[in-house]
Amino acid sequence: MSSIAFESVFKRYGEVDAVRELNLTCAAGEMLALLGPSGCGKSTTLKMAAGIESVSSGEIWFGDKPVSRLAPGERNIAMVFEDYALYPNMTVWENVGFPLKVRGITGQPASQRIGEVLQLLGLRQMADQPVRGLSGGAMQRVSIGRALVRDPEVILFDEPLSHLDADQKVQLRAEIKRLQKLRQVTSILVTHDQTEAIAMADRVAVMNHGVLQQVGAPQDLYERPANLFVANFIGEPPMNLMKAAYAGNRIVGEGWEVTLTTARRAKLPDGAIVAGIRPEHVTVSAPDVAGDAGGAARGTIIYREPRGDADVLTVALDAGSGPGGKLVAEIAGPTAWRAGDKVSVGLDVGRLLVFDAASEKNLEVAP
Ligand SMILES: Nc1ncnc2c1ncn2[C@@H]1O[C@H](COP(=O)(O)OP(=O)(O)OP(=O)(O)O)[C@@H](O)[C@H]1O
């Protein structure tokens, strides 16, 4: 298996910079997710790796081999598409065997390979069924089988789960991850769904407007987002982001304020900031009762969303205007809070992130 590296890759469509100066490596045997909103350039990046789109400038490497001038057929890649791209009238066996057939591999060597892959994917019982009429989940397993059958150097997954229902999604993402680890095949997954990226990938690359924002292990992106875009994009419910000012050792927002520890304040310049705090790091208590994290503001619960094992509470801060003067708290539950309750809100200051208001960068994450 080889690594895939994008080196200063640009893709321009006329006036549109679909991908801008991309420097990104997917290590050999790794699964890397490209995650971002519609139009961020993730599909274009995948297509350039596949050779379906050319690069405008820069180079793509598979191991130590530059590939950007090679045709798709010369790259030893396999693709798994969102719409499966199978031959509906052919059987499961014939679809999986198709890449071998077009390469002239037939007879016993082909049968053995196809049999092994069907076994691996639990598709043996369906081998003789036409693909037409199978469930979406089964069809996608067939297309994964077709990708695996010839041991490609790289598998490129383009939104592979987007047409599946919720149950099938959960099953298949575990299945893809298991197979990818078993075969140690270098893989890139394109998705707009953070749950999918986090569940399946070793590392996640977040893109926006054609620019790579941050790449890292899912937990890194969650705990140490490099900028406001990543902070807001990763996590559900989204991180609370509040305009504030930092001076001395205090962060003062509208309707709230907190004091930072000495160790942290040395690193931060005074000025306009955006403070970020995840809903699970916000506490809610009766008014004037200091919560575990210390009361930072007062407000009124305006909305309670029960989520089974937790309640998501939206609190309107008394004197605040922040982003609508609201804070969202996720509290282990179910709780007895109701809309209309007056509360004290606490912020876990140790988990509060500080972003520069102008550059939008996390002031405590190295660029
Ligand atoms: N063939 C094309 N011609 C012109 N512009 C294109 C073409 N393909 C993509 N673009 C533009 O390039 C930018 C990136 O598109 P791309 O499809 O890579 O984004 P994406 O993140 O994969 O979005 P989606 O999930 O909607 O496919 C967009 O502005 C898009 O309109």
PDB file of all heavy atoms in Angstrom, residues 194 206 208 214 221-222 225-241 274 276-278 323 353 355 360:
ATOM      1  N   GLN A 194     -20.357  14.745   9.536  1.00  0.00           N
ATOM      2  CA  GLN A 194     -19.274  14.632  10.531  1.00  0.00           C
ATOM      3  C   GLN A 194     -19.347  13.331  11.316  1.00  0.00           C
ATOM      4  O   GLN A 194     -18.308  12.770  11.682  1.00  0.00           O
ATOM      5  CB  GLN A 194     -19.265  15.823  11.472  1.00  0.00           C
ATOM      6  CG  GLN A 194     -20.570  16.073  12.155  1.00  0.00           C
ATOM      7  CD  GLN A 194     -20.403  17.062  13.291  1.00  0.00           C
ATOM      8  OE1 GLN A 194     -19.632  16.850  14.199  1.00  0.00           O
ATOM      9  NE2 GLN A 194     -21.121  18.147  13.222  1.00  0.00           N
ATOM     10  N   VAL A 206     -10.657  18.881   7.344  1.00  0.00           N
ATOM     11  CA  VAL A 206     -11.830  19.742   7.166  1.00  0.00           C
ATOM     12  C   VAL A 206     -11.502  20.805   6.127  1.00  0.00           C
ATOM     13  O   VAL A 206     -10.464  21.488   6.223  1.00  0.00           O
ATOM     14  CB  VAL A 206     -12.228  20.414   8.501  1.00  0.00           C
ATOM     15  CG1 VAL A 206     -13.452  21.309   8.303  1.00  0.00           C
ATOM     16  CG2 VAL A 206     -12.522  19.363   9.569  1.00  0.00           C
ATOM     17  N   ASN A 208     -12.973  24.148   3.600  1.00  0.00           N
ATOM     18  CA  ASN A 208     -14.005  25.170   3.378  1.00  0.00           C
ATOM     19  C   ASN A 208     -13.534  26.091   2.269  1.00  0.00           C
ATOM     20  O   ASN A 208     -12.363  26.502   2.256  1.00  0.00           O
ATOM     21  CB  ASN A 208     -14.242  25.980   4.667  1.00  0.00           C
ATOM     22  CG  ASN A 208     -15.456  26.883   4.553  1.00  0.00           C
ATOM     23  OD1 ASN A 208     -16.418  26.544   3.853  1.00  0.00           O
ATOM     24  ND2 ASN A 208     -15.421  28.020   5.226  1.00  0.00           N
ATOM     25  N   GLN A 214      -8.004  22.283   8.666  1.00  0.00           N
ATOM     26  CA  GLN A 214      -7.302  21.577   9.732  1.00  0.00           C
ATOM     27  C   GLN A 214      -7.362  20.092   9.418  1.00  0.00           C
ATOM     28  O   GLN A 214      -8.331  19.609   8.843  1.00  0.00           O
ATOM     29  CB  GLN A 214      -7.991  21.829  11.089  1.00  0.00           C
ATOM     30  CG  GLN A 214      -7.226  21.269  12.286  1.00  0.00           C
ATOM     31  CD  GLN A 214      -7.864  21.656  13.625  1.00  0.00           C
ATOM     32  OE1 GLN A 214      -8.977  22.186  13.659  1.00  0.00           O
ATOM     33  NE2 GLN A 214      -7.179  21.387  14.720  1.00  0.00           N
ATOM     34  N   LEU A 221      -9.718  17.518  16.577  1.00  0.00           N
ATOM     35  CA  LEU A 221     -10.549  18.552  15.951  1.00  0.00           C
ATOM     36  C   LEU A 221     -11.632  19.007  16.917  1.00  0.00           C
ATOM     37  O   LEU A 221     -11.992  20.179  16.965  1.00  0.00           O
ATOM     38  CB  LEU A 221     -11.212  18.037  14.671  1.00  0.00           C
ATOM     39  CG  LEU A 221     -10.302  17.534  13.565  1.00  0.00           C
ATOM     40  CD1 LEU A 221     -11.108  17.267  12.314  1.00  0.00           C
ATOM     41  CD2 LEU A 221      -9.211  18.537  13.243  1.00  0.00           C
ATOM     42  N   TYR A 222     -12.135  18.071  17.701  1.00  0.00           N
ATOM     43  CA  TYR A 222     -13.214  18.379  18.630  1.00  0.00           C
ATOM     44  C   TYR A 222     -12.706  19.222  19.794  1.00  0.00           C
ATOM     45  O   TYR A 222     -13.337  20.196  20.184  1.00  0.00           O
ATOM     46  CB  TYR A 222     -13.818  17.066  19.149  1.00  0.00           C
ATOM     47  CG  TYR A 222     -15.078  17.249  19.946  1.00  0.00           C
ATOM     48  CD1 TYR A 222     -16.293  17.454  19.303  1.00  0.00           C
ATOM     49  CD2 TYR A 222     -15.051  17.237  21.337  1.00  0.00           C
ATOM     50  CE1 TYR A 222     -17.457  17.638  20.030  1.00  0.00           C
ATOM     51  CE2 TYR A 222     -16.210  17.412  22.069  1.00  0.00           C
ATOM     52  CZ  TYR A 222     -17.408  17.616  21.407  1.00  0.00           C
ATOM     53  OH  TYR A 222     -18.564  17.805  22.122  1.00  0.00           O
ATOM     54  N   PRO A 225     -10.021  22.761  18.013  1.00  0.00           N
ATOM     55  CA  PRO A 225     -10.258  23.274  16.651  1.00  0.00           C
ATOM     56  C   PRO A 225      -9.334  24.457  16.372  1.00  0.00           C
ATOM     57  O   PRO A 225      -9.159  25.313  17.240  1.00  0.00           O
ATOM     58  CB  PRO A 225     -11.727  23.695  16.673  1.00  0.00           C
ATOM     59  CG  PRO A 225     -12.066  23.880  18.110  1.00  0.00           C
ATOM     60  CD  PRO A 225     -11.195  22.954  18.894  1.00  0.00           C
ATOM     61  N   ALA A 226      -8.747  24.483  15.174  1.00  0.00           N
ATOM     62  CA  ALA A 226      -7.753  25.509  14.861  1.00  0.00           C
ATOM     63  C   ALA A 226      -8.373  26.869  14.592  1.00  0.00           C
ATOM     64  O   ALA A 226      -7.703  27.887  14.697  1.00  0.00           O
ATOM     65  CB  ALA A 226      -6.928  25.072  13.645  1.00  0.00           C
ATOM     66  N   ASN A 227      -9.647  26.883  14.216  1.00  0.00           N
ATOM     67  CA  ASN A 227     -10.281  28.171  13.916  1.00  0.00           C
ATOM     68  C   ASN A 227     -11.791  28.077  14.119  1.00  0.00           C
ATOM     69  O   ASN A 227     -12.325  26.998  14.424  1.00  0.00           O
ATOM     70  CB  ASN A 227      -9.927  28.629  12.488  1.00  0.00           C
ATOM     71  CG  ASN A 227     -10.360  27.618  11.446  1.00  0.00           C
ATOM     72  OD1 ASN A 227     -11.406  26.980  11.582  1.00  0.00           O
ATOM     73  ND2 ASN A 227      -9.574  27.448  10.407  1.00  0.00           N
ATOM     74  N   LEU A 228     -12.455  29.198  13.955  1.00  0.00           N
ATOM     75  CA  LEU A 228     -13.899  29.252  14.226  1.00  0.00           C
ATOM     76  C   LEU A 228     -14.702  28.351  13.292  1.00  0.00           C
ATOM     77  O   LEU A 228     -15.709  27.784  13.683  1.00  0.00           O
ATOM     78  CB  LEU A 228     -14.414  30.693  14.102  1.00  0.00           C
ATOM     79  CG  LEU A 228     -14.074  31.623  15.263  1.00  0.00           C
ATOM     80  CD1 LEU A 228     -14.612  33.027  14.987  1.00  0.00           C
ATOM     81  CD2 LEU A 228     -14.673  31.091  16.562  1.00  0.00           C
ATOM     82  N   PHE A 229     -14.226  28.228  12.041  1.00  0.00           N
ATOM     83  CA  PHE A 229     -14.974  27.386  11.108  1.00  0.00           C
ATOM     84  C   PHE A 229     -15.025  25.947  11.631  1.00  0.00           C
ATOM     85  O   PHE A 229     -16.100  25.335  11.712  1.00  0.00           O
ATOM     86  CB  PHE A 229     -14.363  27.423   9.696  1.00  0.00           C
ATOM     87  CG  PHE A 229     -15.108  26.530   8.767  1.00  0.00           C
ATOM     88  CD1 PHE A 229     -16.302  26.960   8.187  1.00  0.00           C
ATOM     89  CD2 PHE A 229     -14.688  25.232   8.533  1.00  0.00           C
ATOM     90  CE1 PHE A 229     -17.044  26.112   7.377  1.00  0.00           C
ATOM     91  CE2 PHE A 229     -15.436  24.375   7.731  1.00  0.00           C
ATOM     92  CZ  PHE A 229     -16.604  24.824   7.145  1.00  0.00           C
ATOM     93  N   VAL A 230     -13.869  25.402  12.006  1.00  0.00           N
ATOM     94  CA  VAL A 230     -13.817  24.010  12.484  1.00  0.00           C
ATOM     95  C   VAL A 230     -14.584  23.888  13.803  1.00  0.00           C
ATOM     96  O   VAL A 230     -15.330  22.929  14.027  1.00  0.00           O
ATOM     97  CB  VAL A 230     -12.348  23.533  12.638  1.00  0.00           C
ATOM     98  CG1 VAL A 230     -12.300  22.110  13.184  1.00  0.00           C
ATOM     99  CG2 VAL A 230     -11.621  23.628  11.306  1.00  0.00           C
ATOM    100  N   ALA A 231     -14.427  24.886  14.672  1.00  0.00           N
ATOM    101  CA  ALA A 231     -15.112  24.870  15.975  1.00  0.00           C
ATOM    102  C   ALA A 231     -16.622  24.755  15.784  1.00  0.00           C
ATOM    103  O   ALA A 231     -17.303  23.997  16.469  1.00  0.00           O
ATOM    104  CB  ALA A 231     -14.784  26.138  16.745  1.00  0.00           C
ATOM    105  N   ASN A 232     -17.130  25.481  14.822  1.00  0.00           N
ATOM    106  CA  ASN A 232     -18.562  25.530  14.581  1.00  0.00           C
ATOM    107  C   ASN A 232     -19.052  24.315  13.797  1.00  0.00           C
ATOM    108  O   ASN A 232     -20.168  23.849  13.983  1.00  0.00           O
ATOM    109  CB  ASN A 232     -18.881  26.816  13.807  1.00  0.00           C
ATOM    110  CG  ASN A 232     -20.365  27.065  13.726  1.00  0.00           C
ATOM    111  OD1 ASN A 232     -21.062  26.920  14.721  1.00  0.00           O
ATOM    112  ND2 ASN A 232     -20.843  27.408  12.552  1.00  0.00           N
ATOM    113  N   PHE A 233     -18.188  23.802  12.925  1.00  0.00           N
ATOM    114  CA  PHE A 233     -18.605  22.712  12.024  1.00  0.00           C
ATOM    115  C   PHE A 233     -18.623  21.362  12.726  1.00  0.00           C
ATOM    116  O   PHE A 233     -19.469  20.522  12.453  1.00  0.00           O
ATOM    117  CB  PHE A 233     -17.668  22.664  10.810  1.00  0.00           C
ATOM    118  CG  PHE A 233     -18.190  21.826   9.690  1.00  0.00           C
ATOM    119  CD1 PHE A 233     -19.230  22.289   8.900  1.00  0.00           C
ATOM    120  CD2 PHE A 233     -17.669  20.566   9.445  1.00  0.00           C
ATOM    121  CE1 PHE A 233     -19.735  21.502   7.875  1.00  0.00           C
ATOM    122  CE2 PHE A 233     -18.176  19.779   8.427  1.00  0.00           C
ATOM    123  CZ  PHE A 233     -19.212  20.250   7.635  1.00  0.00           C
ATOM    124  N   ILE A 234     -17.680  21.149  13.649  1.00  0.00           N
ATOM    125  CA  ILE A 234     -17.562  19.854  14.328  1.00  0.00           C
ATOM    126  C   ILE A 234     -18.301  19.932  15.667  1.00  0.00           C
ATOM    127  O   ILE A 234     -18.050  20.834  16.456  1.00  0.00           O
ATOM    128  CB  ILE A 234     -16.074  19.509  14.592  1.00  0.00           C
ATOM    129  CG1 ILE A 234     -15.278  19.513  13.285  1.00  0.00           C
ATOM    130  CG2 ILE A 234     -15.927  18.214  15.382  1.00  0.00           C
ATOM    131  CD1 ILE A 234     -15.282  18.249  12.515  1.00  0.00           C
ATOM    132  N   GLY A 235     -19.159  18.935  15.915  1.00  0.00           N
ATOM    133  CA  GLY A 235     -19.844  18.878  17.210  1.00  0.00           C
ATOM    134  C   GLY A 235     -21.332  19.157  17.068  1.00  0.00           C
ATOM    135  O   GLY A 235     -21.734  20.015  16.281  1.00  0.00           O
ATOM    136  N   GLU A 236     -22.134  18.416  17.814  1.00  0.00           N
ATOM    137  CA  GLU A 236     -23.593  18.557  17.755  1.00  0.00           C
ATOM    138  C   GLU A 236     -24.161  18.350  19.149  1.00  0.00           C
ATOM    139  O   GLU A 236     -23.926  17.299  19.721  1.00  0.00           O
ATOM    140  CB  GLU A 236     -24.124  17.487  16.813  1.00  0.00           C
ATOM    141  CG  GLU A 236     -25.359  17.793  15.988  1.00  0.00           C
ATOM    142  CD  GLU A 236     -26.454  18.580  16.660  1.00  0.00           C
ATOM    143  OE1 GLU A 236     -27.246  18.020  17.430  1.00  0.00           O
ATOM    144  OE2 GLU A 236     -26.487  19.786  16.417  1.00  0.00           O
ATOM    145  N   PRO A 237     -24.873  19.286  19.778  1.00  0.00           N
ATOM    146  CA  PRO A 237     -25.135  20.631  19.282  1.00  0.00           C
ATOM    147  C   PRO A 237     -23.823  21.407  19.106  1.00  0.00           C
ATOM    148  O   PRO A 237     -22.836  21.091  19.773  1.00  0.00           O
ATOM    149  CB  PRO A 237     -25.987  21.263  20.385  1.00  0.00           C
ATOM    150  CG  PRO A 237     -26.017  20.314  21.522  1.00  0.00           C
ATOM    151  CD  PRO A 237     -25.406  19.040  21.119  1.00  0.00           C
ATOM    152  N   PRO A 238     -23.833  22.418  18.237  1.00  0.00           N
ATOM    153  CA  PRO A 238     -22.585  23.137  17.955  1.00  0.00           C
ATOM    154  C   PRO A 238     -22.045  23.875  19.177  1.00  0.00           C
ATOM    155  O   PRO A 238     -22.773  24.140  20.134  1.00  0.00           O
ATOM    156  CB  PRO A 238     -22.977  24.144  16.872  1.00  0.00           C
ATOM    157  CG  PRO A 238     -24.353  23.840  16.469  1.00  0.00           C
ATOM    158  CD  PRO A 238     -24.972  22.952  17.495  1.00  0.00           C
ATOM    159  N   MET A 239     -20.747  24.177  19.098  1.00  0.00           N
ATOM    160  CA  MET A 239     -20.099  24.934  20.175  1.00  0.00           C
ATOM    161  C   MET A 239     -20.770  26.304  20.327  1.00  0.00           C
ATOM    162  O   MET A 239     -21.164  26.924  19.336  1.00  0.00           O
ATOM    163  CB  MET A 239     -18.619  25.120  19.797  1.00  0.00           C
ATOM    164  CG  MET A 239     -17.793  25.785  20.873  1.00  0.00           C
ATOM    165  SD  MET A 239     -16.080  26.045  20.346  1.00  0.00           S
ATOM    166  CE  MET A 239     -15.398  24.425  20.446  1.00  0.00           C
ATOM    167  N   ASN A 240     -20.884  26.784  21.574  1.00  0.00           N
ATOM    168  CA  ASN A 240     -21.322  28.166  21.814  1.00  0.00           C
ATOM    169  C   ASN A 240     -20.169  29.089  21.455  1.00  0.00           C
ATOM    170  O   ASN A 240     -19.038  28.880  21.916  1.00  0.00           O
ATOM    171  CB  ASN A 240     -21.639  28.371  23.294  1.00  0.00           C
ATOM    172  CG  ASN A 240     -22.851  27.583  23.742  1.00  0.00           C
ATOM    173  OD1 ASN A 240     -23.975  27.878  23.349  1.00  0.00           O
ATOM    174  ND2 ASN A 240     -22.629  26.557  24.566  1.00  0.00           N
ATOM    175  N   LEU A 241     -20.438  30.100  20.649  1.00  0.00           N
ATOM    176  CA  LEU A 241     -19.393  31.069  20.278  1.00  0.00           C
ATOM    177  C   LEU A 241     -19.897  32.454  20.648  1.00  0.00           C
ATOM    178  O   LEU A 241     -20.998  32.846  20.231  1.00  0.00           O
ATOM    179  CB  LEU A 241     -19.108  30.983  18.771  1.00  0.00           C
ATOM    180  CG  LEU A 241     -18.532  29.640  18.308  1.00  0.00           C
ATOM    181  CD1 LEU A 241     -18.493  29.566  16.789  1.00  0.00           C
ATOM    182  CD2 LEU A 241     -17.117  29.421  18.866  1.00  0.00           C
ATOM    183  N   VAL A 274     -13.283  35.787  20.351  1.00  0.00           N
ATOM    184  CA  VAL A 274     -14.518  35.015  20.388  1.00  0.00           C
ATOM    185  C   VAL A 274     -14.237  33.854  21.328  1.00  0.00           C
ATOM    186  O   VAL A 274     -13.240  33.141  21.165  1.00  0.00           O
ATOM    187  CB  VAL A 274     -14.925  34.511  18.992  1.00  0.00           C
ATOM    188  CG1 VAL A 274     -16.148  33.600  19.077  1.00  0.00           C
ATOM    189  CG2 VAL A 274     -15.204  35.689  18.059  1.00  0.00           C
ATOM    190  N   GLY A 276     -15.210  30.244  22.917  1.00  0.00           N
ATOM    191  CA  GLY A 276     -15.972  29.063  22.502  1.00  0.00           C
ATOM    192  C   GLY A 276     -16.099  28.083  23.653  1.00  0.00           C
ATOM    193  O   GLY A 276     -15.120  27.826  24.359  1.00  0.00           O
ATOM    194  N   ILE A 277     -17.293  27.566  23.840  1.00  0.00           N
ATOM    195  CA  ILE A 277     -17.460  26.536  24.876  1.00  0.00           C
ATOM    196  C   ILE A 277     -18.498  25.516  24.405  1.00  0.00           C
ATOM    197  O   ILE A 277     -19.567  25.875  23.893  1.00  0.00           O
ATOM    198  CB  ILE A 277     -17.819  27.152  26.254  1.00  0.00           C
ATOM    199  CG1 ILE A 277     -17.775  26.065  27.333  1.00  0.00           C
ATOM    200  CG2 ILE A 277     -19.192  27.837  26.261  1.00  0.00           C
ATOM    201  CD1 ILE A 277     -17.029  26.467  28.563  1.00  0.00           C
ATOM    202  N   ARG A 278     -18.129  24.243  24.532  1.00  0.00           N
ATOM    203  CA  ARG A 278     -19.051  23.177  24.118  1.00  0.00           C
ATOM    204  C   ARG A 278     -20.227  23.113  25.093  1.00  0.00           C
ATOM    205  O   ARG A 278     -20.052  23.337  26.299  1.00  0.00           O
ATOM    206  CB  ARG A 278     -18.336  21.824  24.129  1.00  0.00           C
ATOM    207  CG  ARG A 278     -17.189  21.760  23.151  1.00  0.00           C
ATOM    208  CD  ARG A 278     -17.533  20.878  21.980  1.00  0.00           C
ATOM    209  NE  ARG A 278     -16.494  20.926  20.972  1.00  0.00           N
ATOM    210  CZ  ARG A 278     -16.720  21.200  19.686  1.00  0.00           C
ATOM    211  NH1 ARG A 278     -17.945  21.476  19.265  1.00  0.00           N
ATOM    212  NH2 ARG A 278     -15.739  21.206  18.816  1.00  0.00           N
ATOM    213  N   PRO A 323     -24.288  35.820  20.657  1.00  0.00           N
ATOM    214  CA  PRO A 323     -24.987  35.393  19.442  1.00  0.00           C
ATOM    215  C   PRO A 323     -26.465  35.256  19.788  1.00  0.00           C
ATOM    216  O   PRO A 323     -26.950  34.178  20.107  1.00  0.00           O
ATOM    217  CB  PRO A 323     -24.342  34.053  19.101  1.00  0.00           C
ATOM    218  CG  PRO A 323     -23.685  33.594  20.363  1.00  0.00           C
ATOM    219  CD  PRO A 323     -23.604  34.746  21.333  1.00  0.00           C
ATOM    220  N   LEU A 353     -12.438  27.902  24.937  1.00  0.00           N
ATOM    221  CA  LEU A 353     -11.445  28.158  23.887  1.00  0.00           C
ATOM    222  C   LEU A 353     -11.460  29.636  23.519  1.00  0.00           C
ATOM    223  O   LEU A 353     -12.503  30.286  23.588  1.00  0.00           O
ATOM    224  CB  LEU A 353     -11.748  27.309  22.651  1.00  0.00           C
ATOM    225  CG  LEU A 353     -11.836  25.798  22.886  1.00  0.00           C
ATOM    226  CD1 LEU A 353     -12.174  25.077  21.590  1.00  0.00           C
ATOM    227  CD2 LEU A 353     -10.522  25.264  23.448  1.00  0.00           C
ATOM    228  N   PHE A 355     -10.550  32.406  20.610  1.00  0.00           N
ATOM    229  CA  PHE A 355     -10.240  32.660  19.199  1.00  0.00           C
ATOM    230  C   PHE A 355     -10.033  34.153  18.991  1.00  0.00           C
ATOM    231  O   PHE A 355     -10.761  34.974  19.575  1.00  0.00           O
ATOM    232  CB  PHE A 355     -11.398  32.199  18.308  1.00  0.00           C
ATOM    233  CG  PHE A 355     -11.717  30.735  18.436  1.00  0.00           C
ATOM    234  CD1 PHE A 355     -12.612  30.285  19.398  1.00  0.00           C
ATOM    235  CD2 PHE A 355     -11.112  29.801  17.605  1.00  0.00           C
ATOM    236  CE1 PHE A 355     -12.909  28.933  19.530  1.00  0.00           C
ATOM    237  CE2 PHE A 355     -11.397  28.439  17.728  1.00  0.00           C
ATOM    238  CZ  PHE A 355     -12.296  28.016  18.702  1.00  0.00           C
ATOM    239  N   GLU A 360      -9.836  34.852  13.398  1.00  0.00           N
ATOM    240  CA  GLU A 360     -10.696  33.703  13.708  1.00  0.00           C
ATOM    241  C   GLU A 360      -9.897  32.462  14.103  1.00  0.00           C
ATOM    242  O   GLU A 360     -10.416  31.349  14.149  1.00  0.00           O
ATOM    243  CB  GLU A 360     -11.653  33.389  12.548  1.00  0.00           C
ATOM    244  CG  GLU A 360     -12.518  34.592  12.181  1.00  0.00           C
ATOM    245  CD  GLU A 360     -13.712  34.235  11.316  1.00  0.00           C
ATOM    246  OE1 GLU A 360     -13.734  33.140  10.742  1.00  0.00           O
ATOM    247  OE2 GLU A 360     -14.632  35.067  11.235  1.00  0.00           O
TER     248      GLU A 360
END
